[in-house]
Amino acid sequence: MSSAPDAGVVVPRFGTRGKAWLALLGVLIVAGLGAWAYQLQQGLVVTGMDNIFSWGLYIMLFVLFIGLSAGGLIISSAPKFFHSKRYDSLAALGVLLSLGCIVVAGLLILPDLGSPSRVTGFLTSPDPRSPMVWDFGIVLLYGLFNVGYLWLLTRRDLAKMGSRLALGVADTPAGRERDRKRAFWAAAVAMPLAVGLHSVTGWIFATQIGRGDWFNPLVAPMFIMKALVSGLALLLVTSILVDRFTRFRFPRELVPELGKLLGIFVAVHVVYLVAAERLPHAWAAHFEFWSITSAFLVGDTIHFWLWTVIGGVLPIALLAVPSLRRRIKAVFVASVAAIVGILFEGVYLIFTGYHDVNIDAAPGVTTGTGYTGLEADIWATTGSYTPTIVELLIAVGLIAVGALIVTLGLRFVPIQPDDRTPVSAGRDDSTATTAGPVATDGGRRPDGGADGEVTGDA
Amino acid sequence: MTDYGMVIDLERCIGCNACAVSCSQENNVSLDKQWNRILTEGGDAMDTPEGSYPENGRDGTLSMNHLPLACQHCDNAPCVKVCPVNATYKRDDGIVEIDYDKCMGCRYCMSACPYNARVFNFDDPKTLPTDGTGNVEERKQGVVEKCTFCSHRVKEDLDPACTVACPADARIFGDLDDEESTASRYIEKYETEQLLDELETDPNTYYIRGEMSPGRTRSGNELEGTEKKAAGNPNGVATDGGDGQ
């Protein structure tokens, strides 16, 4: 059923389900735009932020999406750097996903601004001392790099299918060979770029002396690690979904393999780095053995528990057991849990900065919101925050923009390497295949029985 | 060079809030925010002491102090270093100021400031009367604002509004680079502290604790060392930068 011109494009045309999905994204984007227009007109008073808690959902999600943008690029570039074809089947999808996430992250800054029309100040009068300027630069560079890298990985296939997106590049064997070499060099740039992106985003917080635990040298390494966790988890979630709903084929043997890798990342992040961060404080602040131990082990806020239990204990439990991590559903649940956990790590980070005020004597700080008249209480001595519907609508709308980018990429960019057989959409989990150019998980058969059957129908 | 700074004598401060009121009045500050806050060091609520009342002939332990807090005009100002668009900057004369036409409202400076000295216009400013007060133009929705040491008054050789308004003469404004200024002499002579000095922001605002200083030794509106101005506002407090007379 697939003709040569479509080869590699996993969604040759949008069917009913595809159109419904696009319509849903369209509705979410329009709702988000409407909410943003309302916020622009009313001011940020319609958000849950105030003068103490001056960054909220937008920045929490910015941090999350910066992290999510890591996985695809690293999974596609790290093997290329070592001249391995191991994850070639995920390379283009990964970069597409990175692109979608970095666009969402960049756009999330706009509704956070009180005067968004002045965002041009980043170009006209930047202060090179500001970590936010560093981040602006590297987010822009990272986004452009993703576009170029995705094009480099797919341009010969684009040429083959006669797409105008090939921009005049021809599909020749020599050209493919040259692109392979260029991909190596692109990979060599991609990895330090990704490390830079996540570190710089961490330093936005880690340089700040005034906000409690933000001023902590471990923040940047934590950001790298949480990028690896959430990025790989999102790549797994997306690959599984795209495999299910399009012709894309996610090689079944990669599931336990990447699941194991995700488990290691989660363990390094939630067990090792958290311990490394908390132990010195707990030890220095307490005297008895058990009070040191409990200060070390017991978190103080709900966000901490949501992060370490949903994003730590649950995925590690699912991924540590070999028979479990061979099940697509288990890896899927573990990945979603890891992303939810990383979301709450961001929430936890923002709350640790804003809950306490350094000089908190009464009456405190003027909140700048909730003024109802001369008798209104405009004072607060601790920070509190709950996102509003407006913030949620805007955030969901921007996430829909990212989903739209990925969806259009699936439709117009051949992300499936050309030398393999497309598989029909909508298959059940259990009919995944083991064929493909990718190294297998030590030759083990997944799940056993009929699961190993090749079901390609071309 | 000039390096403007302020000394606040906490032993003189009586917690009357006159400086806060005159600040809001002079600078057209919205009713839901304050550039200049008078905190109570004592009980959990404003103007309440900590400790216990003397009962049955015992000694009481009540204690209460007031801490006026506004922008500290730090030498190593974190807010200036984080501003991505150079909207907030340290002037050559030591004042940290905001260019309201450049500020894009990202509020990174509010995260950076350990003193919570900055406020953001979440919506349009609210003042009584509604067309504003004092001598400073209203700031629009979506920008950050804070104490400017009344730079518009300093330009006219006038002391900041809070300094003139203080009935206890607890505020002394002056040039910290001039060894002969009252501010510099008090910093030299009395026990002073810079708030949160462990954070190394090096504020231009110093607080006297311990022995009480003679306070602000002049009367009138004008900056120390400048010519005596013509008579001030007949109502007592100059709010017009001296232009009106």
Side-chain angles (χ1 to χ4, degrees):
Chain A
M1 74 185 222
S2 74
S3 56
D6 294 340
V9 171
V10 297
V11 184
R13 64 198 64 78
F14 288 121
T16 316
R17 201 163 49 183
K19 283 174 183 154
W21 169 242
L22 286 177
L24 173 67
L25 293 180
V27 168
L28 293 177
I29 291 170
V30 169
L33 282 174
W36 192 24
Y38 177 70
Q39 182 191 287
L40 282 175
Q41 187 232 332
Q42 299 287 315
L44 289 177
V45 69
V46 299
T47 69
M49 296 183 269
D50 65 24
N51 280 332
I52 300 180
F53 216 109
S54 52
W55 278 346
L57 184 69
Y58 302 136
I59 298 295
M60 294 167 184
L61 288 177
F62 167 76
V63 167
L64 174 69
F65 274 83
I66 288 285
L68 289 176
S69 76
L73 197 66
I74 289 189
I75 288 298
S76 67
S77 62
K80 285 201 191 316
F81 187 69
F82 295 105
H83 300 288
S84 160
K85 291 185 175 181
R86 195 173 184 79
Y87 299 114
D88 266 5
S89 52
L90 297 178
L93 176 64
V95 180
L96 176 63
L97 202 54
S98 287
L99 176 63
C101 290
I102 198 71
V103 170
V104 174
L107 290 178
L108 273 165
I109 294 300
L110 288 178
D112 189 60
L113 298 180
S115 312
S117 61
R118 295 182 186 158
V119 72
T120 50
F122 272 117
L123 300 172
T124 54
S125 66
D127 186 334
R129 285 173 296 182
S130 170
M132 201 179 272
V133 167
W134 312 341
D135 211 46
F136 176 82
I138 202 155
V139 166
L140 208 61
L141 198 63
Y142 191 83
L144 292 173
F145 178 84
N146 271 294
V147 173
Y149 192 35
L150 181 61
W151 187 68
L152 176 67
L153 290 180
T154 57
R155 61 182 183 172
R156 303 293 168 182
D157 288 338
L158 284 165
K160 188 176 177 187
M161 59 186 253
S163 166
R164 271 178 296 175
L165 292 173
L167 303 178
V169 170
D171 180 26
T172 61
R176 281 186 183 261
E177 194 44 45
R178 273 201 306 279
D179 279 4
R180 194 172 293 284
K181 291 205 178 85
R182 289 194 184 110
F184 166 81
W185 289 108
V189 173
M191 284 186 293
L193 191 61
V195 170
L197 174 74
H198 304 295
S199 300
V200 167
T201 307
W203 288 330
I204 286 182
F205 303 95
T207 51
Q208 298 314 309
I209 49 166
R211 296 274 85 80
D213 286 347
W214 287 11
F215 189 61
N216 176 351
L218 259 187
V219 170
M222 289 286 259
F223 267 62
I224 303 247
M225 211 55 227
K226 78 177 177 190
L228 291 175
V229 169
S230 61
L232 178 57
L234 182 70
L235 182 64
L236 277 163
V237 167
T238 314
S239 300
I240 291 168
L241 289 177
V242 173
D243 175 277
R244 187 168 180 127
F245 292 112
T246 76
R247 292 181 172 194
F248 177 75
R249 200 186 41 177
F250 181 27
R252 180 65 191 258
E253 65 278 2
L254 289 186
V255 172
E257 191 176 314
L258 289 175
K260 194 195 282 175
L261 189 59
L262 178 63
I264 293 169
F265 285 168
V266 173
V268 171
H269 183 219
V270 181
V271 180
Y272 177 71
L273 281 179
V274 172
E277 185 179 26
R278 294 174 64 90
L279 182 75
H281 289 291
W283 188 90
H286 294 86
F287 186 66
E288 303 290 342
F289 176 78
W290 286 112
S291 55
I292 293 173
T293 309
S294 68
F296 168 48
L297 291 176
V298 181
D300 34 12
T301 65
I302 181 80
H303 310 112
F304 180 81
W305 290 113
L306 285 169
W307 164 35
T308 52
V309 174
I310 296 183
V313 175
L314 179 63
I316 289 175
L318 286 170
L319 297 171
V321 183
S323 62
L324 270 180
R325 71 167 172 264
R326 266 182 238 126
R327 292 177 192 276
I328 285 186
K329 281 203 179 80
V331 172
F332 186 83
V333 170
S335 300
V336 171
I339 294 172
V340 171
I342 296 296
L343 167 66
F344 279 104
E345 195 221 345
V347 174
Y348 173 70
L349 177 77
I350 303 290
F351 267 85
T352 56
Y354 288 130
H355 182 268
D356 294 328
V357 177
N358 292 313
I359 300 174
D360 63 352
V365 180
T366 52
T367 57
T369 60
Y371 179 77
T372 49
L374 286 175
E375 74 287 356
D377 183 7
I378 57 168
W379 301 92
T381 51
T382 56
S384 62
Y385 172 74
T386 313
T388 61
I389 292 287
V390 176
E391 284 171 283
L392 289 169
L393 281 175
I394 293 176
V396 169
L398 288 175
I399 294 168
V401 170
L404 184 67
I405 290 172
V406 173
T407 308
L408 293 177
L410 297 176
R411 168 69 185 81
F412 295 108
V413 180
I415 57 150
Q416 183 95 321
D418 193 35
D419 51 340
R420 47 214 340 269
T421 320
V423 181
S424 69
R427 286 165 299 114
D428 187 63
D429 290 346
S430 58
T431 58
T433 80
T434 55
V438 185
T440 60
D441 184 26
R444 256 176 299 168
R445 303 279 288 178
D447 280 9
D451 290 4
E453 298 294 326
V454 176
T455 57
D457 65 347
Chain B
M1 286 291 284
T2 311
D3 188 25
Y4 287 120
M6 189 173 284
V7 174
I8 302 176
D9 187 340
L10 297 179
E11 304 305 324
R12 299 192 74 84
C13 175
I14 56 173
C16 69
N17 278 268
C19 54
V21 173
S22 68
C23 169
S24 290
Q25 164 75 20
E26 172 68 20
N27 291 289
N28 202 359
V29 179
S30 175
L31 289 165
D32 56 359
K33 16 187 118 68
Q34 291 273 289
W35 288 3
N36 184 10
R37 303 176 275 132
I38 316 307
L39 306 180
T40 303
E41 292 180 328
D44 291 335
M46 184 177 169
D47 291 337
T48 58
E50 64 181 343
S52 59
Y53 189 78
E55 278 173 359
N56 304 330
R58 295 199 191 99
D59 280 348
T61 57
L62 292 179
S63 94
M64 179 172 82
N65 268 302
H66 288 94
L67 179 72
L69 185 63
C71 175
Q72 305 285 299
H73 297 274
C74 308
D75 261 354
N76 179 18
C79 57
V80 172
K81 286 193 288 186
V82 299
C83 181
V85 296
N86 271 312
T88 190
Y89 54 97
K90 178 92 173 166
R91 303 190 341 177
D92 289 341
D93 63 5
I95 298 178
V96 173
E97 211 166 45
I98 302 172
D99 181 341
Y100 301 117
D101 292 329
K102 273 189 184 170
C103 175
M104 61 181 186
C106 72
R107 306 184 303 296
Y108 196 6
C109 54
M110 298 178 72
S111 301
C113 177
Y115 307 97
N116 288 78
R118 291 169 164 258
V119 293
F120 179 70
N121 285 310
F122 286 92
D123 51 359
D124 288 325
K126 304 164 199 71
T127 48
L128 282 176
T130 47
D131 55 353
T133 63
N135 296 296
V136 182
E137 208 179 315
E138 145 183 317
R139 280 74 55 192
K140 293 195 172 49
Q141 174 186 305
V143 297
V144 173
E145 57 179 61
K146 64 162 193 71
C147 158
T148 63
F149 269 164
C150 279
S151 58
H152 63 291
R153 288 175 59 92
V154 171
K155 192 169 71 182
E156 307 281 338
D157 289 339
L158 297 170
D159 262 343
C162 58
T163 303
V164 177
C166 181
D169 292 334
R171 289 174 178 268
I172 303 101
F173 181 78
D175 180 4
L176 303 182
D177 273 356
D178 174 5
E179 286 176 12
E180 292 307 306
S181 72
T182 310
S184 295
R185 285 192 289 111
Y186 285 5
I187 292 167
E188 180 72 21
K189 179 167 179 187
Y190 295 91
E191 205 173 305
T192 55
E193 67 164 326
Q194 294 162 300
L195 294 182
L196 305 177
D197 61 344
E198 70 276 14
L199 300 180
E200 299 178 57
T201 51
D202 197 7
N204 278 19
T205 305
Y206 292 79
Y207 291 85
I208 294 178
R209 283 188 203 266
E211 193 190 340
M212 185 188 286
S213 76
R216 183 173 182 256
T217 52
R218 300 160 291 120
S219 59
N221 279 321
E222 62 281 349
L223 275 183
E224 192 176 18
T226 62
E227 246 174 75
K228 185 96 179 161
K229 296 278 169 189
N233 186 322
N235 296 326
V237 180
T239 55
D240 61 358
D243 289 341
Q245 279 79 50

